[in-house]
Amino acid sequence: MTSVTRDVFGHLPGGGGTVERFCLDSKQVRAEVISFGCIITRLETQDRTGTFSDIVLGFDDIEGYTNKHPYFGAVVGRVANRIANGKFTVEGKDYHLAINNGPNSLHGGLKGFDKVLWAPKLIENGVQFSYQSKDGEEGYPGELNLWVTYTLVGGTLTVNYRAQSNKTTPINLTNHSYFNLAGQGSSNIYDHVVSIEADHYLPVDDTMIPTGEVAPVLGTCFDLRKPVELGSHMNSFYLDGFDHNFCLGVTQEQKQCARVSHPLSGRVLTVSTTQPGVQFYTANFLDGSLKGKGGAVYPKHSAFCLETQGWPDAVNKPHFPSSLLNPEEEYNHTTSFGFSLA
């Protein structure tokens, strides 16, 4: 049985509300999540000596999360990832979004779901957060009711995303946790061993928008179907890092899509999901300027993200799995992060 406790994490500026923290402890894993942005602020797992370390990047206080940061630990939406030129058309109507990433719209706009206060409810083994996104919020159509549920059982943290809309709208929800299995504050992830169970990936243009091609990984640096040590793999292909969507099968059941291990500590992370894609990102844009937990500095390549999600810019790519939610439907996706030792 997982213990779940709650306390106050901080207060939003300008009387914006009280941010609560929920501590989930299964004895194997300890997770802390706050009601602002559904952010995972701590995630402690054991190494092979039994020592707990926090393996996600973040901040010690609410000020860190209300200031500009690269979505540490947050739920992002209404549409995660990029929408080309911040434009799309639904049912013959054109929509225009805020441009916040080069020429594109990223992670829901200027005030996405990572920057709002969600309403919490304690449940068995976890916490459920709810939020109502107004029709027209950040330029998106439809009033959208959302529920994000975190449950911790044994060594597995599961995140379920549900949503219902009164108008047809694009939707794509994910969690943007930055992991370092050596412990947050470690300088890089080059000694991590990664595999991703995907036969295809999405090539991107110079603004990180998919070209529309669904390319085979075979014979490329994106072939991660067999485990590779990240540092040596990046060196051998002269890679500056990954920030790409890997294409998974469309499924109602969760299937394992990725595994990352850290041989020195023995920690292993496995990711399973119902989503059709996973964005593998190696923190290429971290630059050491942010002061994290315990005064830690986060340089380039000091973490990785495995953002399970729909394919980027799917609303503008009819041959991609659809990102549209219709009024009579429910958006319902689940991702599990399993922690173990090798």
Side-chain angles (χ1 to χ4, degrees):
M1 189 71 180
T2 298
S3 75
V4 184
T5 57
R6 71 197 295 177
D7 64 4
V8 173
F9 186 70
H11 301 276
L12 295 178
T18 298
V19 177
E20 288 192 271
R21 170 173 51 193
F22 298 84
C23 303
L24 285 53
D25 188 346
S26 71
K27 301 294 187 277
Q28 290 168 259
V29 175
R30 303 167 186 157
E32 296 183 4
V33 190
I34 60 173
S35 55
F36 181 70
C38 301
I39 293 170
I40 298 172
T41 57
R42 295 185 75 82
L43 191 55
E44 297 183 1
T45 69
Q46 291 171 293
D47 66 11
R48 65 166 63 90
T49 70
T51 304
F52 279 91
S53 290
D54 183 5
I55 59 167
V56 292
L57 278 55
F59 303 103
D60 287 322
D61 53 43
I62 190 61
E63 286 75 25
Y65 293 107
T66 55
N67 292 331
K68 186 174 170 60
H69 71 97
Y71 307 94
F72 285 150
V75 166
V76 292
R78 182 174 301 197
V79 174
N81 215 304
R82 294 168 179 87
I83 292 179
N85 303 308
K87 297 178 188 173
F88 63 89
T89 302
V90 170
E91 297 178 339
K93 185 174 178 183
D94 296 337
Y95 293 90
H96 299 270
L97 311 173
I99 304 300
N100 63 339
N101 184 258
N104 306 313
S105 186
L106 176 70
H107 291 334
L110 300 178
K111 189 180 179 182
F113 297 162
D114 61 298
K115 298 179 182 70
V116 299
L117 196 59
W118 295 63
K121 182 176 83 170
L122 289 179
I123 60 169
E124 186 177 0
N125 298 322
V127 58
Q128 181 179 79
F129 298 102
S130 59
Y131 177 69
Q132 185 178 78
S133 176
K134 303 297 186 202
D135 185 6
E137 186 174 316
E138 285 297 319
Y140 288 97
E143 183 178 273
L144 187 71
N145 290 304
L146 299 127
W147 299 268
V148 173
T149 306
Y150 290 93
T151 50
L152 178 63
V153 177
T156 302
L157 178 67
T158 298
V159 192
N160 173 257
Y161 309 87
R162 289 173 49 228
Q164 297 166 353
S165 178
N166 65 356
K167 292 182 184 175
T168 300
T169 181
I171 181 172
N172 188 19
L173 305 177
T174 192
N175 179 277
H176 209 305
S177 286
Y178 286 68
F179 296 96
N180 187 316
L181 299 184
Q184 72 88 25
S186 300
S187 60
N188 63 63
I189 49 169
Y190 301 141
D191 59 352
H192 287 47
V193 177
V194 178
S195 59
I196 298 177
E197 297 178 26
D199 296 331
H200 294 83
Y201 77 103
L202 299 182
V204 292
D205 65 19
D206 56 4
T207 73
M208 304 305 296
I209 292 290
T211 63
E213 180 188 3
V214 181
V217 299
L218 185 66
T220 75
C221 62
F222 300 99
D223 193 348
L224 304 178
R225 293 173 294 182
K226 292 181 179 174
V228 301
E229 186 187 59
L230 203 49
S232 57
H233 182 78
M234 286 166 59
N235 283 339
S236 61
F237 284 97
Y238 303 100
L239 288 179
D240 190 49
F242 288 93
D243 191 5
H244 295 80
N245 182 83
F246 288 76
C247 306
L248 312 173
V250 177
T251 171
Q252 296 300 309
E253 301 297 317
Q254 285 192 75
K255 288 176 67 175
Q256 183 173 313
C257 66
R259 182 183 190 272
V260 184
S261 64
H262 181 245
L264 196 62
S265 67
R267 289 189 182 91
V268 178
L269 164 64
T270 55
V271 181
S272 302
T273 190
T274 59
Q275 291 276 23
V278 59
Q279 186 90 359
F280 179 42
Y281 174 53
T282 50
N284 311 324
F285 296 109
L286 290 182
D287 59 7
S289 61
L290 291 173
K291 194 171 190 180
K293 288 178 279 189
V297 174
Y298 300 139
K300 182 177 182 176
H301 297 158
S302 60
F304 66 91
C305 305
L306 286 163
E307 304 157 63
T308 55
Q309 57 182 20
W311 296 7
D313 200 35
V315 71
N316 292 312
K317 306 277 196 300
H319 60 294
F320 283 7
S322 177
S323 64
L324 294 179
L325 175 67
N326 296 309
E328 67 277 9
E329 300 170 341
E330 181 175 80
Y331 177 93
N332 191 334
H333 279 289
T334 303
T335 294
S336 293
F337 299 94
F339 301 97
S340 58
L341 291 168

